[in-house]
Amino acid sequence: ELYLRVSNELYLKRCIVGGLERVFEFSRNFRNEGIDRTHNPEFTAVEFYQAYADYNDMMIHFEKIWERACIAANGTTKISYQGQELDLKTPWRRLTVYEALQQLGKIDVQAMSDDDLRQKMGELHLELDGEWSRGRAIISLFEELCEDQLIQPTFITDFPKEHTPLCKIHRSNPDLVEQFEPYINGWEVGNAYSELNDPLLQREMLEDQVARGRGGEDETHPLDENFLHAIECGMPPTGGVGIGIDRMAMLLTDSASIRDVLLFPLMKPEE
């Protein structure tokens, strides 16, 4: 029998609420998604949370962990992955989503109207599941135009607020959230936020996500009332990070497939 959890995030944040100011956990997670060379439904992650920190602090933690792991495994920050030379030395490059689209995708989404975005998505044969929104369109364009160009370690920051309901609204732009995703070799290798700790806004964002799920959007989750109750008790400003361990193992050992670094990959029933 499989007991499934998408992430340990909501549980670790309850520990922060309970007064444990720095917490981490290595966990097995399960997401009902497809299998390919870099994805497996069951995977290993480490998440850690630090009270009185934000996503800028988490970037420094993240790049240092990767740099030290690379040196421990290979004796150097420079590695070759399937013939591609990579250098994990800190500090890593930092680009906002808007900057990435401008530099790598050659489009200025801030200057584009909603109709312009729809037209560009049509040209690229991109469609959104569920209701259309400007933020989700920008995310879709970023994924299509930029991700595979992010070869050397890069932090992509400041996503549209539609990207996650668990992240603090950006301190200087209410259309964005204080989130980063690190990329290496064109792969997303983690995720991090300045954690949302406003209980009223958190409830509103999670209820909106549930409504979007009813509207046909794929990646939404049920409401967790116990988590909301914890946030209502009071959570300090917090930074949090999730790191995909399997993709780290792939890169640091030059393994071509995620199945090469899984001890017991889940198989289809023989019958």
Side-chain angles (χ1 to χ4, degrees):
E1 293 184 5
L2 300 177
Y3 295 88
L4 311 181
R5 74 174 166 182
V6 168
S7 161
N8 46 347
E9 176 174 357
L10 304 189
Y11 302 94
L12 290 177
K13 286 184 183 176
R14 286 175 229 195
C15 294
I16 293 283
V17 170
L20 301 175
E21 293 187 354
R22 296 185 184 214
V23 293
F24 74 93
E25 182 185 357
F26 286 89
S27 67
R28 299 290 285 175
N29 297 339
F30 183 92
R31 298 182 184 176
N32 192 17
E33 298 168 358
I35 297 175
D36 62 24
R37 195 168 61 84
T38 63
H39 291 85
N40 193 68
E42 188 179 29
F43 61 97
T44 305
V46 61
E47 292 196 23
F48 58 86
Y49 294 82
Q50 179 181 341
Y52 310 107
D54 66 11
Y55 75 143
N56 294 302
D57 301 300
M58 296 300 108
M59 270 185 257
I60 295 169
H61 284 321
F62 193 100
E63 64 189 0
K64 282 183 177 178
I65 287 170
W66 263 86
E67 180 186 59
R68 291 176 187 179
C70 188
I71 291 170
N74 296 287
T76 174
T77 62
K78 294 183 178 179
I79 59 173
S80 175
Y81 180 75
Q82 303 294 296
Q84 174 68 57
E85 299 300 317
L86 302 168
D87 189 352
L88 276 63
K89 183 174 176 57
T90 63
W92 295 2
R93 178 170 65 156
R94 288 149 166 77
L95 289 175
T96 68
V97 171
Y98 291 162
E99 288 169 345
L101 280 163
Q102 201 160 14
Q103 293 180 27
L104 305 176
K106 309 303 181 188
I107 59 173
D108 183 359
V109 292
Q110 289 177 281
M112 296 169 72
S113 67
D114 286 0
D115 287 340
D116 293 334
L117 290 175
R118 282 191 175 95
Q119 181 179 339
K120 187 65 179 178
M121 289 190 68
E123 291 171 9
L124 296 168
H125 308 291
L126 300 176
E127 294 182 2
L128 298 179
D129 53 81
E131 294 182 10
W132 194 91
S133 78
R134 181 177 179 86
R136 291 178 63 225
I138 290 170
I139 294 162
S140 181
L141 288 168
F142 162 75
E143 291 172 348
E144 177 70 19
L145 296 172
C146 303
E147 280 190 348
D148 61 1
Q149 298 185 64
L150 298 169
I151 303 302
Q152 298 303 323
T154 304
F155 290 118
I156 299 297
T157 69
D158 303 347
F159 282 78
K161 63 184 179 183
E162 291 88 347
H163 201 220
T164 172
L166 297 163
C167 188
K168 188 168 279 189
I169 298 296
H170 198 281
R171 64 197 74 183
S172 60
N173 185 338
D175 294 329
L176 306 177
V177 287
E178 294 194 353
Q179 176 186 16
F180 73 77
E181 288 184 350
Y183 284 82
I184 305 174
N185 193 50
W187 307 347
E188 177 196 337
V189 293
N191 196 7
Y193 315 145
S194 297
E195 306 296 338
L196 181 56
N197 63 338
D198 177 333
L200 299 178
L201 183 56
Q202 182 65 92
R203 179 173 289 279
E204 180 184 320
M205 300 272 284
L206 288 174
E207 287 177 347
D208 176 62
Q209 188 191 56
V210 171
R212 295 205 316 268
R214 287 197 294 264
E217 188 177 324
D218 281 342
E219 291 190 19
T220 61
H221 304 285
L223 200 66
D224 186 333
E225 283 289 351
N226 289 329
F227 169 69
L228 286 170
H229 174 70
I231 301 300
E232 287 163 358
C233 292
M235 186 172 86
T238 299
V241 165
I243 301 176
I245 298 300
D246 304 315
R247 288 187 182 180
M248 175 186 271
M250 284 180 68
L251 281 165
L252 297 187
T253 61
D254 195 16
S255 298
S257 169
I258 196 169
R259 297 180 75 82
D260 296 336
V261 299
L262 299 176
L263 288 173
F264 303 102
L266 199 62
M267 308 292 283
K268 291 181 179 178
E270 288 185 358
E271 64 271 15

Coordinates of all heavy atoms in Angstrom, one line a residue, residues 60-102:
I60 N 20.9 31.8 -1.0 CA 22.3 31.6 -0.5 C 22.5 30.1 0.1 O 23.4 29.4 -0.2 CB 22.7 32.6 0.6 CG1 22.7 34.0 -0.1 CG2 24.0 32.3 1.2 CD1 22.7 35.2 0.9
H61 N 21.5 29.7 0.9 CA 21.5 28.3 1.4 C 21.6 27.3 0.3 O 22.4 26.4 0.3 CB 20.3 28.0 2.3 CG 20.3 28.6 3.6 ND1 21.4 28.7 4.4 CD2 19.3 29.2 4.4 CE1 21.1 29.3 5.6 NE2 19.8 29.5 5.6
F62 N 20.7 27.5 -0.7 CA 20.5 26.5 -1.8 C 21.8 26.4 -2.6 O 22.3 25.2 -2.8 CB 19.4 27.0 -2.7 CG 18.9 25.9 -3.7 CD1 17.8 25.2 -3.4 CD2 19.6 25.6 -4.8 CE1 17.4 24.2 -4.3 CE2 19.2 24.6 -5.7 CZ 18.1 23.9 -5.4
E63 N 22.4 27.5 -3.1 CA 23.6 27.4 -3.9 C 24.8 26.8 -3.1 O 25.6 26.1 -3.7 CB 23.9 28.7 -4.6 CG 24.3 29.8 -3.6 CD 24.4 31.2 -4.3 OE1 24.2 31.3 -5.5 OE2 24.7 32.2 -3.6
K64 N 24.9 27.1 -1.8 CA 26.0 26.6 -1.0 C 25.8 25.1 -0.9 O 26.8 24.3 -0.9 CB 26.0 27.3 0.3 CG 26.6 28.7 0.3 CD 26.7 29.2 1.7 CE 27.4 30.6 1.7 NZ 27.4 31.2 3.1
I65 N 24.6 24.6 -0.6 CA 24.4 23.1 -0.5 C 24.8 22.4 -1.8 O 25.5 21.4 -1.7 CB 22.9 22.9 -0.2 CG1 22.6 23.3 1.3 CG2 22.5 21.4 -0.4 CD1 21.1 23.3 1.6
W66 N 24.3 22.9 -2.9 CA 24.7 22.3 -4.2 C 26.2 22.4 -4.4 O 26.8 21.4 -4.9 CB 23.9 23.0 -5.3 CG 22.7 22.3 -5.7 CD1 21.5 22.5 -5.2 CD2 22.6 21.3 -6.8 NE1 20.6 21.6 -5.8 CE2 21.2 20.9 -6.8 CE3 23.4 20.7 -7.7 CZ2 20.7 20.0 -7.7 CZ3 22.9 19.8 -8.6 CH2 21.6 19.4 -8.6
E67 N 26.8 23.5 -4.2 CA 28.3 23.6 -4.4 C 29.0 22.6 -3.5 O 29.9 21.9 -4.0 CB 28.7 25.0 -4.0 CG 30.2 25.3 -4.2 CD 30.7 26.6 -3.8 OE1 30.5 27.0 -2.6 OE2 31.2 27.4 -4.6
R68 N 28.7 22.5 -2.2 CA 29.4 21.6 -1.3 C 29.1 20.1 -1.7 O 30.0 19.3 -1.6 CB 29.0 21.9 0.1 CG 29.5 23.3 0.6 CD 29.0 23.6 2.0 NE 29.4 25.0 2.3 CZ 29.1 25.6 3.5 NH1 28.4 24.9 4.4 NH2 29.5 26.8 3.7
A69 N 27.9 19.8 -2.1 CA 27.6 18.5 -2.5 C 28.4 18.1 -3.8 O 28.9 16.9 -3.9 CB 26.1 18.3 -2.8
C70 N 28.5 19.0 -4.7 CA 29.3 18.7 -5.9 C 30.8 18.5 -5.6 O 31.4 17.6 -6.1 CB 29.1 19.9 -6.9 SG 29.9 19.6 -8.5
I71 N 31.3 19.3 -4.7 CA 32.7 19.1 -4.3 C 32.9 17.8 -3.6 O 33.9 17.1 -3.8 CB 33.2 20.3 -3.4 CG1 33.3 21.6 -4.3 CG2 34.5 20.0 -2.8 CD1 33.5 22.9 -3.4
A72 N 31.9 17.5 -2.7 CA 32.0 16.2 -1.9 C 32.0 15.0 -2.9 O 32.7 14.0 -2.7 CB 30.9 16.1 -0.9
A73 N 31.2 15.1 -3.9 CA 31.0 13.9 -4.9 C 32.1 13.9 -5.9 O 32.5 12.8 -6.3 CB 29.6 14.0 -5.6
N74 N 32.6 15.1 -6.3 CA 33.5 15.1 -7.5 C 34.8 15.8 -7.2 O 35.7 15.8 -8.1 CB 32.8 15.8 -8.7 CG 31.6 15.0 -9.1 OD1 31.7 13.9 -9.8 ND2 30.4 15.5 -8.8
G75 N 35.0 16.4 -6.1 CA 36.3 17.1 -5.8 C 36.4 18.5 -6.4 O 37.5 19.1 -6.2
T76 N 35.4 18.9 -7.1 CA 35.5 20.2 -7.8 C 34.0 20.7 -8.1 O 33.1 19.9 -8.0 CB 36.2 20.0 -9.2 OG1 36.1 21.3 -9.9 CG2 35.5 18.9 -10.0
T77 N 33.9 22.0 -8.4 CA 32.6 22.5 -8.7 C 32.3 22.3 -10.2 O 31.1 22.6 -10.6 CB 32.5 24.0 -8.4 OG1 33.4 24.7 -9.2 CG2 32.7 24.3 -6.9
K78 N 33.3 21.9 -11.0 CA 33.1 21.8 -12.4 C 32.8 20.3 -12.7 O 33.7 19.4 -12.4 CB 34.3 22.3 -13.2 CG 34.5 23.8 -13.1 CD 35.6 24.3 -13.9 CE 35.8 25.8 -13.8 NZ 36.9 26.3 -14.5
I79 N 31.7 20.0 -13.4 CA 31.4 18.6 -13.8 C 31.0 18.6 -15.3 O 30.7 19.6 -15.9 CB 30.3 18.1 -12.9 CG1 29.0 18.9 -13.0 CG2 30.7 17.9 -11.5 CD1 27.8 18.3 -12.3
S80 N 30.9 17.4 -15.8 CA 30.4 17.1 -17.1 C 29.2 16.3 -17.0 O 29.3 15.2 -16.4 CB 31.4 16.5 -18.0 OG 30.9 16.1 -19.3
Y81 N 28.0 16.7 -17.5 CA 26.8 15.9 -17.5 C 26.4 15.6 -18.9 O 26.0 16.5 -19.7 CB 25.7 16.6 -16.8 CG 24.4 15.7 -16.8 CD1 24.3 14.7 -15.9 CD2 23.4 15.9 -17.7 CE1 23.3 13.8 -15.9 CE2 22.3 15.1 -17.7 CZ 22.2 14.0 -16.8 OH 21.2 13.1 -16.9
Q82 N 26.6 14.3 -19.3 CA 26.2 13.8 -20.6 C 26.9 14.7 -21.7 O 26.3 15.1 -22.7 CB 24.7 13.8 -20.8 CG 24.0 13.0 -19.8 CD 24.3 11.5 -19.9 OE1 24.0 10.8 -20.9 NE2 24.9 10.9 -18.8
G83 N 28.2 15.1 -21.4 CA 28.9 15.9 -22.4 C 28.8 17.4 -22.2 O 29.5 18.1 -22.9
Q84 N 27.9 17.8 -21.4 CA 27.6 19.3 -21.1 C 28.5 19.7 -19.9 O 28.3 19.2 -18.8 CB 26.2 19.6 -20.9 CG 25.8 21.0 -20.5 CD 26.1 22.0 -21.6 OE1 25.5 21.8 -22.7 NE2 26.9 23.0 -21.4
E85 N 29.3 20.7 -20.1 CA 30.2 21.2 -19.0 C 29.3 22.1 -18.1 O 28.7 23.1 -18.6 CB 31.4 22.0 -19.5 CG 32.3 21.1 -20.4 CD 32.9 19.9 -19.6 OE1 33.3 20.1 -18.4 OE2 32.9 18.8 -20.2
L86 N 29.3 21.9 -16.8 CA 28.6 22.7 -15.9 C 29.5 23.1 -14.7 O 30.4 22.4 -14.3 CB 27.4 21.9 -15.3 CG 26.4 21.3 -16.2 CD1 25.5 20.3 -15.5 CD2 25.6 22.4 -16.9
D87 N 29.3 24.4 -14.2 CA 30.1 24.9 -13.1 C 29.1 25.3 -12.0 O 28.4 26.3 -12.2 CB 31.0 26.0 -13.5 CG 32.0 26.4 -12.4 OD1 31.9 25.9 -11.3 OD2 32.9 27.2 -12.7
L88 N 29.1 24.6 -10.9 CA 28.2 24.9 -9.8 C 28.8 25.9 -8.7 O 28.2 26.0 -7.7 CB 27.8 23.6 -9.1 CG 26.6 22.8 -9.8 CD1 27.0 22.4 -11.2 CD2 26.2 21.6 -9.0
K89 N 29.9 26.5 -9.1 CA 30.5 27.5 -8.1 C 29.5 28.6 -7.8 O 28.8 29.1 -8.7 CB 31.8 28.0 -8.7 CG 32.5 29.0 -7.7 CD 33.9 29.3 -8.3 CE 34.6 30.4 -7.4 NZ 34.7 29.9 -6.0
T90 N 29.4 29.0 -6.6 CA 28.6 30.2 -6.2 C 29.4 31.5 -6.4 O 30.6 31.4 -6.5 CB 28.3 30.1 -4.7 OG1 29.5 30.1 -3.9 CG2 27.5 28.8 -4.3
P91 N 28.7 32.6 -6.5 CA 27.2 32.7 -6.6 C 26.6 32.4 -8.0 O 27.3 32.6 -9.0 CB 27.0 34.2 -6.3 CG 28.2 34.9 -6.8 CD 29.3 33.9 -6.6
W92 N 25.4 31.9 -8.0 CA 24.8 31.6 -9.3 C 24.1 32.8 -9.9 O 23.8 33.8 -9.2 CB 23.7 30.5 -9.1 CG 24.2 29.2 -8.6 CD1 25.5 28.8 -8.4 CD2 23.5 28.0 -8.4 NE1 25.6 27.5 -8.0 CE2 24.4 27.0 -8.0 CE3 22.1 27.7 -8.5 CZ2 23.9 25.7 -7.7 CZ3 21.7 26.4 -8.2 CH2 22.6 25.4 -7.8
R93 N 23.9 32.7 -11.2 CA 23.2 33.8 -11.9 C 21.7 34.0 -11.4 O 21.1 33.0 -11.0 CB 23.1 33.5 -13.4 CG 22.4 34.6 -14.2 CD 22.6 34.4 -15.7 NE 22.0 33.1 -16.2 CZ 21.6 32.9 -17.5 NH1 21.8 33.9 -18.4 NH2 21.2 31.8 -17.8
R94 N 21.2 35.2 -11.3 CA 19.8 35.5 -10.9 C 19.1 36.3 -12.0 O 19.6 37.3 -12.4 CB 19.8 36.2 -9.6 CG 20.3 35.4 -8.4 CD 21.0 36.2 -7.3 NE 21.1 35.5 -6.0 CZ 22.0 34.6 -5.7 NH1 22.8 34.1 -6.6 NH2 22.0 34.1 -4.5
L95 N 18.0 35.8 -12.4 CA 17.1 36.5 -13.4 C 15.7 36.4 -12.9 O 15.2 35.4 -12.4 CB 17.2 35.8 -14.7 CG 18.4 35.8 -15.6 CD1 18.3 35.0 -16.8 CD2 18.7 37.3 -16.0
T96 N 14.9 37.5 -13.1 CA 13.5 37.4 -12.8 C 12.8 36.7 -14.0 O 13.4 36.6 -15.1 CB 12.9 38.8 -12.6 OG1 12.9 39.5 -13.9 CG2 13.6 39.6 -11.5
V97 N 11.6 36.3 -13.8 CA 10.8 35.7 -14.9 C 10.7 36.7 -16.1 O 10.9 36.3 -17.3 CB 9.4 35.3 -14.5 CG1 8.5 34.9 -15.7 CG2 9.5 34.1 -13.5
Y98 N 10.5 38.0 -15.8 CA 10.4 39.0 -16.9 C 11.7 39.1 -17.6 O 11.7 39.2 -18.8 CB 9.9 40.3 -16.3 CG 8.5 40.4 -15.7 CD1 8.2 41.4 -14.9 CD2 7.5 39.5 -16.1 CE1 6.8 41.5 -14.4 CE2 6.3 39.6 -15.6 CZ 5.9 40.6 -14.8 OH 4.6 40.7 -14.3
E99 N 12.8 39.2 -16.8 CA 14.1 39.3 -17.4 C 14.5 38.1 -18.3 O 15.0 38.2 -19.4 CB 15.2 39.5 -16.4 CG 15.1 40.8 -15.7 CD 16.0 40.9 -14.4 OE1 16.5 39.9 -13.9 OE2 16.3 42.0 -13.9
A100 N 14.1 36.9 -17.8 CA 14.4 35.7 -18.6 C 13.6 35.7 -19.9 O 14.2 35.4 -21.0 CB 14.0 34.4 -17.8
L101 N 12.4 36.1 -19.9 CA 11.6 36.2 -21.1 C 12.1 37.2 -22.1 O 12.1 37.0 -23.3 CB 10.1 36.5 -20.8 CG 9.3 35.3 -20.3 CD1 8.0 35.7 -19.6 CD2 9.0 34.3 -21.5
Q102 N 12.6 38.3 -21.5 CA 13.2 39.4 -22.4 C 14.5 38.9 -23.0 O 14.8 39.1 -24.2 CB 13.4 40.6 -21.5 CG 13.5 41.9 -22.4 CD 13.2 43.2 -21.6 OE1 13.1 43.1 -20.3 NE2 12.9 44.3 -22.2

